[in-house]
Amino acid sequence: MRVSFCQGLLTGAIALNLLILYYVSKAQQQMMEKRRDPGRGSRKAALPASGLGGGMGVLAGGVGGMVGVVGVGGEGNGRGPRVTVLLREFEGFENYVVEVARSFLHQRPELPFLAVSDTPPYPPLSLPEGARLLVLSPSPEQPPQAHRPEFHVQTEFVLLVPDGVELEQGRAVERLIRELEGEGGGPVRLVAAPVVARSAVQCLHLRVSLREWTATYSPAASGSSGSVCTALQGDAVVLIRSEDLFNLSVPLGRPLLPSLFIQTALRGWKVKLLESPCFSASHRPLFSSAHNQWKAESRLKEATGRLMRDFGLKRLLLPDGKEQWHGCGKETTRCFGTVRDDTPEYLYLERWTPPCCLRALRETTKYVINILESSGVRYWLEGGSLLGAARHQDIIPWDYDVDLGIYLEDVSNCDHLKNLDSGSLVDANGYVWERAVEGDFFRVQYSEANHLHVDLWPFYPRNGVMTKDTWTEHKQDVEFPEHFLQPLVHMPFAGITAYGPNNHRAFLELKFGEGVIENPQYPNPTKKRLDRSRL
């Protein structure tokens, strides 16, 4: 069979690509073996400079290339340096990266210094000899390892330093190493030291609940020889083993310390904050103008929002009692899409309803109930909402709407409901009142953008039984004796007092079955069952 020129060229190209992939895989394996070997030597293979500018010291290179961050010279034991100094948090428009590098290299010229940026800084950095810049954003002409920090650190430890910090005592680094090694591989996996002349460093307890999309910070008590906690607030220098750092999902996310401690807290790691040694910072304030300060704060807020979205955290409870919300609001769409089979998508991710959605449901419920009561519309908690009131005095943590029953004959009393046959109504507070397209009931949405909602199910009495003309396939959508509503009784629910049936247990067991209050379950167990051992 004759092979055409094009076929031969294609075959050659495939063979070349396979050869390149082989060497890339081999180089990655060698680097990982070096990192696991504590007695590795101080070989270095320099990466050639990229085309981003000679004075920037950008890390780049060909297949299998490694930056020379191991350095030359030892620490008196025949080995190369054990620590790479890494500066991650700085702003391109104004920073002290060059001064920080000079300070560390003056005291410890053998320590590799690595500045890390998402994109090439502008104006460009003129780093001193011995310092390098790693740009994390990929370049189409470079192999993937050129932009991955774990391929550019060959030391046992990484020292994370903030912008503007100075090293005044060269042996301070060894003190941090001794403290970390002295913990013997226990829960303390990070050691930190405060930065003098900056904001005071506070030791915090951090609890992260991915199921509840929430991170909670609280103050931690100080000890006589330093504080052990799970997070820090303020400017600090942090030492961590390279292996631990690069085993994190996002080792160098921004903002650096929140990103770092959220991940380490989930792993049960702790940080030890020393009273000394201290690092100094003569550059104060960090930004020379109010405009640059505002710009930095705006970028920090944006970075925090991106980090919370990436980590799936919607609510932060801060140590001063304040809250930060990073989920949906009245002007945005809700945090989850159309619900299928009564099972919202977040249940498949082993999560419950985002707290911002629960907050919106509580606000909408309070608003709707206030209007119903002021209009003379009799209502009661229905279905899963009544079940939530009985169990939690609140919305069920994995529920995604609120259900209220109403008397059909009272609809004409409410201006928001009586004219909905001719279309929906957006009231003065932005809530959307409409007749639901799925059946003969009403729906009140949080806003035109955010469709979190309260459903109003109209019943009417017939021969002592509450009934309707149309029905859905929901378990709770069945007839029931009117005596459950005579009288209606108060029940705590979602931060307010609402009306419910006078015998809520019997009412719920009629609709859902015996023992439903004591035996929680997801709405559709055939699709997703609740693991009660995690409650």
Side-chain angles (χ1 to χ4, degrees), residues 180 183 185-191 239-241 244 269-271:
L180 188 54
E183 295 297 329
V188 173
R189 306 289 279 270
L190 309 93
V191 171
L239 182 76
I240 184 173
R241 289 182 176 85
D244 286 344
W269 300 356
K270 296 182 182 296
V271 56

Side-chain angles (χ1 to χ4, degrees), residues 460-466 482:
Y460 62 89
R462 185 173 59 192
N463 299 324
V465 174
M466 298 299 292
E482 188 181 13

Side-chain angles (χ1 to χ4, degrees), residues 278-297:
C278 292
F279 294 76
S280 63
S282 60
H283 306 291
R284 186 181 184 186
L286 195 57
F287 301 101
S288 60
S289 68
H291 174 75
N292 279 358
Q293 179 68 38
W294 166 84
K295 190 174 179 181
E297 290 173 354

